Amino acid sequence: MPATTTTAAELLEQKIKSRTARVGVIGLGYVGLPLAVEFAKAGFHVTGIDVQESKVAQLNRGDSYVQDVPASALRPLIEAGKLQATTDFSAVADLDTINIAVPTPLRKTKDPDMSFIVSACQEIAKYFGPGKLAILESTTYPGTTDELVLPMLEQPGLKVGEHFFLCFSPERVDPGNPKFITSNIPKVVGGITPACTRMGALFYSQALEKVVPVSSTRVAEMVKLLENTFRMINIGLANEMALMCDRMGLNVWEVIDAAATKPFGFMPFYPGPGLGGHCIPIDPFYLSWKTKQAGIEARFIDLAGYINGQMPHFVVDKIQNALNDHSKALKGSHVHVLGIAYKRNIDDVRESPALDIILLLERRGARISYSDPFVPTVRLDHRTLAADDPLAMSARADCVVVVTDHAAFDYATVVRQASLIVDTRNALKTFDSPKIVRL
Ligand SMILES: NC(=O)c1ccc[n+]([C@@H]2O[C@H](COP(=O)([O-])OP(=O)(O)OC[C@H]3O[C@@H](n4cnc5c(N)ncnc54)[C@H](O)[C@@H]3O)[C@@H](O)[C@H]2O)c1
């Protein structure tokens, strides 16, 4: 009888099923850290790799810098040796699975910046080999995994889907959302080959509640871009509604709330001061960049991008007009910005419209202060701004502008004390006062 040999696929499957597979996560940010924690909680031994020494040191002390990962969840895993962090990519040699969750920003020209994926993959490739599963999670254009990552990880004599496995799985985490967290958000995964998809699905099913396999890495990449483009365009429509309602003297919030009572065929999206975060303002441009190469202009994306980009200017015009109505000029006035994170109850200021609003106000001669319970300091235009007390400043400022509707703000006191408030989030919905100017 011929001796039976265990294939790379069988061996990896056994390790994943028995949770003895050594799991690696490259990039320990908002996406990577919660994922690493989830797999460590599921019983795997997890190694996180990040280029930032300070983050690695902090994690190894059991301290978290990601709001959705409390130290109480992290520390026991670190102490039990289930999770460890390093800056040393040679750790990849001992890993069986490698999830890549590094940033994918846009260049100033709105072209994708692949440099983080490329540099991570260059390092991984040095220690990559047979029997390993790599999964790209960074949001990117369709084709990245097979065109860019696969050639970097391929080695002579090793066949993808047979000797090693490669997938794309979009990350859908929603920072600050208490209901949907990494473990209960369905996980879409598509592999280079059907065997890759099966391996990726098997891997995620160990730690996450629901896995949704799709036919290819490109489909999985496109899924994420559809989701975020859907949001971006619908927010663009809500913002355009706000501009139209403003001209027509209508309260856009009342219009949307009433429309949302329709039990089918309508999903409410809300206007605001502009898009923020590392996803919605960025991801759709990955798609438009890629489709341009195929000769298709992504016109909805461009239009929504234009309208959303106008919102900080619209807010500043609103502030200026509101001050004028109170016989004050914006130039020389003190404007207090309430909230600068890009959305409520989180600490992330990436792409936050508050930063644009501050710069635009300053350009028109206003004096600025801000408060945000989640953001004690912020770097802006080569300076560091420090948060002020929201109540003291509300009483003192010529105008308060609600840019981020954090639940922690004492809105009743702000309304009582402030002389003028521009509310870009409908945070003051329940207050009726002539001092309030709504978006
Ligand atoms: N933040 C979100 O809400 C969210 C949601 C879904 C998808 N995403 C996507 O996930 C990806 C990661 O986003 P994030 O918000 O976690 O970013 P992040 O900036 O919070 O974290 C990325 C981490 O990667 C590290 N890093 C950078 N280059 C590296 C390299 N070469 N090797 C190892 N580590 C490296 C950084 O130091 C950082 O700690 C992006 O593609 C993003 O679009 C983010």
PDB file of all heavy atoms in Angstrom, residues 298-318:
ATOM      1  N   ALA A 298     -17.069  56.764 -12.577  1.00  0.00           N
ATOM      2  CA  ALA A 298     -17.978  56.500 -11.448  1.00  0.00           C
ATOM      3  C   ALA A 298     -18.669  57.816 -11.093  1.00  0.00           C
ATOM      4  O   ALA A 298     -18.250  58.530 -10.191  1.00  0.00           O
ATOM      5  CB  ALA A 298     -17.195  55.943 -10.265  1.00  0.00           C
ATOM      6  N   ARG A 299     -19.743  58.139 -11.832  1.00  0.00           N
ATOM      7  CA  ARG A 299     -20.294  59.491 -11.735  1.00  0.00           C
ATOM      8  C   ARG A 299     -21.028  59.752 -10.431  1.00  0.00           C
ATOM      9  O   ARG A 299     -21.015  60.859  -9.909  1.00  0.00           O
ATOM     10  CB  ARG A 299     -21.171  59.782 -12.948  1.00  0.00           C
ATOM     11  CG  ARG A 299     -20.269  60.091 -14.130  1.00  0.00           C
ATOM     12  CD  ARG A 299     -20.842  59.786 -15.462  1.00  0.00           C
ATOM     13  NE  ARG A 299     -22.025  60.562 -15.748  1.00  0.00           N
ATOM     14  CZ  ARG A 299     -22.791  60.355 -16.820  1.00  0.00           C
ATOM     15  NH1 ARG A 299     -22.478  59.396 -17.656  1.00  0.00           N
ATOM     16  NH2 ARG A 299     -23.858  61.073 -17.038  1.00  0.00           N
ATOM     17  N   PHE A 300     -21.718  58.746  -9.910  1.00  0.00           N
ATOM     18  CA  PHE A 300     -22.388  58.923  -8.613  1.00  0.00           C
ATOM     19  C   PHE A 300     -21.359  59.263  -7.532  1.00  0.00           C
ATOM     20  O   PHE A 300     -21.590  60.086  -6.661  1.00  0.00           O
ATOM     21  CB  PHE A 300     -23.111  57.642  -8.191  1.00  0.00           C
ATOM     22  CG  PHE A 300     -24.515  57.534  -8.698  1.00  0.00           C
ATOM     23  CD1 PHE A 300     -24.886  56.504  -9.548  1.00  0.00           C
ATOM     24  CD2 PHE A 300     -25.476  58.451  -8.305  1.00  0.00           C
ATOM     25  CE1 PHE A 300     -26.184  56.390 -10.012  1.00  0.00           C
ATOM     26  CE2 PHE A 300     -26.784  58.345  -8.765  1.00  0.00           C
ATOM     27  CZ  PHE A 300     -27.134  57.312  -9.630  1.00  0.00           C
ATOM     28  N   ILE A 301     -20.221  58.553  -7.585  1.00  0.00           N
ATOM     29  CA  ILE A 301     -19.193  58.753  -6.559  1.00  0.00           C
ATOM     30  C   ILE A 301     -18.638  60.171  -6.648  1.00  0.00           C
ATOM     31  O   ILE A 301     -18.506  60.870  -5.633  1.00  0.00           O
ATOM     32  CB  ILE A 301     -18.053  57.714  -6.713  1.00  0.00           C
ATOM     33  CG1 ILE A 301     -18.584  56.311  -6.418  1.00  0.00           C
ATOM     34  CG2 ILE A 301     -16.867  58.051  -5.799  1.00  0.00           C
ATOM     35  CD1 ILE A 301     -17.582  55.198  -6.654  1.00  0.00           C
ATOM     36  N   ASP A 302     -18.346  60.613  -7.861  1.00  0.00           N
ATOM     37  CA  ASP A 302     -17.786  61.959  -8.018  1.00  0.00           C
ATOM     38  C   ASP A 302     -18.765  63.019  -7.528  1.00  0.00           C
ATOM     39  O   ASP A 302     -18.384  63.977  -6.856  1.00  0.00           O
ATOM     40  CB  ASP A 302     -17.424  62.202  -9.487  1.00  0.00           C
ATOM     41  CG  ASP A 302     -16.175  61.431  -9.889  1.00  0.00           C
ATOM     42  OD1 ASP A 302     -15.462  60.954  -8.970  1.00  0.00           O
ATOM     43  OD2 ASP A 302     -15.914  61.273 -11.090  1.00  0.00           O
ATOM     44  N   LEU A 303     -20.037  62.832  -7.872  1.00  0.00           N
ATOM     45  CA  LEU A 303     -21.041  63.827  -7.489  1.00  0.00           C
ATOM     46  C   LEU A 303     -21.221  63.868  -5.967  1.00  0.00           C
ATOM     47  O   LEU A 303     -21.208  64.940  -5.357  1.00  0.00           O
ATOM     48  CB  LEU A 303     -22.380  63.483  -8.166  1.00  0.00           C
ATOM     49  CG  LEU A 303     -23.527  64.440  -7.890  1.00  0.00           C
ATOM     50  CD1 LEU A 303     -23.170  65.846  -8.328  1.00  0.00           C
ATOM     51  CD2 LEU A 303     -24.789  63.982  -8.611  1.00  0.00           C
ATOM     52  N   ALA A 304     -21.358  62.670  -5.368  1.00  0.00           N
ATOM     53  CA  ALA A 304     -21.524  62.631  -3.905  1.00  0.00           C
ATOM     54  C   ALA A 304     -20.279  63.181  -3.221  1.00  0.00           C
ATOM     55  O   ALA A 304     -20.371  63.903  -2.219  1.00  0.00           O
ATOM     56  CB  ALA A 304     -21.801  61.194  -3.441  1.00  0.00           C
ATOM     57  N   GLY A 305     -19.109  62.873  -3.784  1.00  0.00           N
ATOM     58  CA  GLY A 305     -17.848  63.386  -3.224  1.00  0.00           C
ATOM     59  C   GLY A 305     -17.836  64.905  -3.253  1.00  0.00           C
ATOM     60  O   GLY A 305     -17.424  65.563  -2.289  1.00  0.00           O
ATOM     61  N   TYR A 306     -18.341  65.480  -4.340  1.00  0.00           N
ATOM     62  CA  TYR A 306     -18.368  66.942  -4.466  1.00  0.00           C
ATOM     63  C   TYR A 306     -19.331  67.537  -3.417  1.00  0.00           C
ATOM     64  O   TYR A 306     -18.967  68.472  -2.694  1.00  0.00           O
ATOM     65  CB  TYR A 306     -18.798  67.342  -5.886  1.00  0.00           C
ATOM     66  CG  TYR A 306     -19.002  68.827  -5.996  1.00  0.00           C
ATOM     67  CD1 TYR A 306     -17.902  69.692  -6.085  1.00  0.00           C
ATOM     68  CD2 TYR A 306     -20.280  69.384  -5.956  1.00  0.00           C
ATOM     69  CE1 TYR A 306     -18.078  71.061  -6.142  1.00  0.00           C
ATOM     70  CE2 TYR A 306     -20.460  70.749  -6.014  1.00  0.00           C
ATOM     71  CZ  TYR A 306     -19.359  71.585  -6.107  1.00  0.00           C
ATOM     72  OH  TYR A 306     -19.536  72.941  -6.139  1.00  0.00           O
ATOM     73  N   ILE A 307     -20.525  66.971  -3.340  1.00  0.00           N
ATOM     74  CA  ILE A 307     -21.526  67.537  -2.404  1.00  0.00           C
ATOM     75  C   ILE A 307     -21.047  67.389  -0.959  1.00  0.00           C
ATOM     76  O   ILE A 307     -21.091  68.341  -0.179  1.00  0.00           O
ATOM     77  CB  ILE A 307     -22.900  66.855  -2.601  1.00  0.00           C
ATOM     78  CG1 ILE A 307     -23.459  67.235  -3.967  1.00  0.00           C
ATOM     79  CG2 ILE A 307     -23.877  67.254  -1.486  1.00  0.00           C
ATOM     80  CD1 ILE A 307     -24.646  66.418  -4.404  1.00  0.00           C
ATOM     81  N   ASN A 308     -20.567  66.204  -0.625  1.00  0.00           N
ATOM     82  CA  ASN A 308     -20.087  65.994   0.751  1.00  0.00           C
ATOM     83  C   ASN A 308     -18.929  66.931   1.076  1.00  0.00           C
ATOM     84  O   ASN A 308     -18.826  67.437   2.199  1.00  0.00           O
ATOM     85  CB  ASN A 308     -19.676  64.536   0.956  1.00  0.00           C
ATOM     86  CG  ASN A 308     -20.862  63.586   0.883  1.00  0.00           C
ATOM     87  OD1 ASN A 308     -21.987  63.973   1.222  1.00  0.00           O
ATOM     88  ND2 ASN A 308     -20.645  62.360   0.451  1.00  0.00           N
ATOM     89  N   GLY A 309     -18.086  67.177   0.077  1.00  0.00           N
ATOM     90  CA  GLY A 309     -16.928  68.068   0.277  1.00  0.00           C
ATOM     91  C   GLY A 309     -17.340  69.521   0.468  1.00  0.00           C
ATOM     92  O   GLY A 309     -16.557  70.323   1.004  1.00  0.00           O
ATOM     93  N   GLN A 310     -18.549  69.869   0.038  1.00  0.00           N
ATOM     94  CA  GLN A 310     -19.032  71.248   0.205  1.00  0.00           C
ATOM     95  C   GLN A 310     -19.559  71.510   1.618  1.00  0.00           C
ATOM     96  O   GLN A 310     -19.734  72.662   2.007  1.00  0.00           O
ATOM     97  CB  GLN A 310     -20.183  71.539  -0.781  1.00  0.00           C
ATOM     98  CG  GLN A 310     -19.747  71.617  -2.230  1.00  0.00           C
ATOM     99  CD  GLN A 310     -18.612  72.600  -2.419  1.00  0.00           C
ATOM    100  OE1 GLN A 310     -18.721  73.772  -2.107  1.00  0.00           O
ATOM    101  NE2 GLN A 310     -17.489  72.097  -2.906  1.00  0.00           N
ATOM    102  N   MET A 311     -19.845  70.447   2.365  1.00  0.00           N
ATOM    103  CA  MET A 311     -20.554  70.639   3.634  1.00  0.00           C
ATOM    104  C   MET A 311     -19.786  71.486   4.658  1.00  0.00           C
ATOM    105  O   MET A 311     -20.387  72.355   5.297  1.00  0.00           O
ATOM    106  CB  MET A 311     -20.977  69.287   4.242  1.00  0.00           C
ATOM    107  CG  MET A 311     -22.026  68.546   3.433  1.00  0.00           C
ATOM    108  SD  MET A 311     -23.420  69.557   2.878  1.00  0.00           S
ATOM    109  CE  MET A 311     -24.327  69.792   4.407  1.00  0.00           C
ATOM    110  N   PRO A 312     -18.468  71.280   4.827  1.00  0.00           N
ATOM    111  CA  PRO A 312     -17.768  72.160   5.776  1.00  0.00           C
ATOM    112  C   PRO A 312     -17.890  73.639   5.384  1.00  0.00           C
ATOM    113  O   PRO A 312     -18.065  74.506   6.240  1.00  0.00           O
ATOM    114  CB  PRO A 312     -16.311  71.685   5.690  1.00  0.00           C
ATOM    115  CG  PRO A 312     -16.410  70.264   5.236  1.00  0.00           C
ATOM    116  CD  PRO A 312     -17.582  70.228   4.303  1.00  0.00           C
ATOM    117  N   HIS A 313     -17.874  73.931   4.079  1.00  0.00           N
ATOM    118  CA  HIS A 313     -18.027  75.321   3.612  1.00  0.00           C
ATOM    119  C   HIS A 313     -19.432  75.829   3.930  1.00  0.00           C
ATOM    120  O   HIS A 313     -19.616  76.967   4.368  1.00  0.00           O
ATOM    121  CB  HIS A 313     -17.796  75.400   2.090  1.00  0.00           C
ATOM    122  CG  HIS A 313     -16.416  74.979   1.690  1.00  0.00           C
ATOM    123  ND1 HIS A 313     -15.372  75.865   1.584  1.00  0.00           N
ATOM    124  CD2 HIS A 313     -15.904  73.753   1.408  1.00  0.00           C
ATOM    125  CE1 HIS A 313     -14.273  75.208   1.239  1.00  0.00           C
ATOM    126  NE2 HIS A 313     -14.572  73.932   1.130  1.00  0.00           N
ATOM    127  N   PHE A 314     -20.417  74.960   3.732  1.00  0.00           N
ATOM    128  CA  PHE A 314     -21.803  75.327   4.022  1.00  0.00           C
ATOM    129  C   PHE A 314     -21.974  75.636   5.514  1.00  0.00           C
ATOM    130  O   PHE A 314     -22.635  76.610   5.896  1.00  0.00           O
ATOM    131  CB  PHE A 314     -22.714  74.163   3.599  1.00  0.00           C
ATOM    132  CG  PHE A 314     -24.171  74.383   3.868  1.00  0.00           C
ATOM    133  CD1 PHE A 314     -24.874  75.390   3.205  1.00  0.00           C
ATOM    134  CD2 PHE A 314     -24.850  73.578   4.773  1.00  0.00           C
ATOM    135  CE1 PHE A 314     -26.230  75.585   3.464  1.00  0.00           C
ATOM    136  CE2 PHE A 314     -26.199  73.768   5.035  1.00  0.00           C
ATOM    137  CZ  PHE A 314     -26.893  74.780   4.371  1.00  0.00           C
ATOM    138  N   VAL A 315     -21.337  74.810   6.349  1.00  0.00           N
ATOM    139  CA  VAL A 315     -21.422  75.023   7.799  1.00  0.00           C
ATOM    140  C   VAL A 315     -20.800  76.370   8.181  1.00  0.00           C
ATOM    141  O   VAL A 315     -21.361  77.135   8.974  1.00  0.00           O
ATOM    142  CB  VAL A 315     -20.736  73.858   8.560  1.00  0.00           C
ATOM    143  CG1 VAL A 315     -20.584  74.177  10.039  1.00  0.00           C
ATOM    144  CG2 VAL A 315     -21.517  72.564   8.370  1.00  0.00           C
ATOM    145  N   VAL A 316     -19.652  76.656   7.578  1.00  0.00           N
ATOM    146  CA  VAL A 316     -18.972  77.928   7.899  1.00  0.00           C
ATOM    147  C   VAL A 316     -19.824  79.107   7.426  1.00  0.00           C
ATOM    148  O   VAL A 316     -19.950  80.115   8.132  1.00  0.00           O
ATOM    149  CB  VAL A 316     -17.543  77.930   7.296  1.00  0.00           C
ATOM    150  CG1 VAL A 316     -16.899  79.306   7.401  1.00  0.00           C
ATOM    151  CG2 VAL A 316     -16.685  76.898   8.018  1.00  0.00           C
ATOM    152  N   ASP A 317     -20.446  78.982   6.253  1.00  0.00           N
ATOM    153  CA  ASP A 317     -21.358  80.047   5.789  1.00  0.00           C
ATOM    154  C   ASP A 317     -22.513  80.219   6.776  1.00  0.00           C
ATOM    155  O   ASP A 317     -22.930  81.335   7.082  1.00  0.00           O
ATOM    156  CB  ASP A 317     -21.938  79.691   4.417  1.00  0.00           C
ATOM    157  CG  ASP A 317     -20.905  79.876   3.309  1.00  0.00           C
ATOM    158  OD1 ASP A 317     -19.869  80.532   3.559  1.00  0.00           O
ATOM    159  OD2 ASP A 317     -21.120  79.334   2.203  1.00  0.00           O
ATOM    160  N   LYS A 318     -23.012  79.099   7.266  1.00  0.00           N
ATOM    161  CA  LYS A 318     -24.126  79.148   8.238  1.00  0.00           C
ATOM    162  C   LYS A 318     -23.720  79.916   9.490  1.00  0.00           C
ATOM    163  O   LYS A 318     -24.481  80.719  10.024  1.00  0.00           O
ATOM    164  CB  LYS A 318     -24.518  77.722   8.662  1.00  0.00           C
ATOM    165  CG  LYS A 318     -25.540  77.077   7.800  1.00  0.00           C
ATOM    166  CD  LYS A 318     -26.797  76.802   8.631  1.00  0.00           C
ATOM    167  CE  LYS A 318     -27.958  76.563   7.751  1.00  0.00           C
ATOM    168  NZ  LYS A 318     -29.204  77.017   7.938  1.00  0.00           N
TER     169      LYS A 318
END
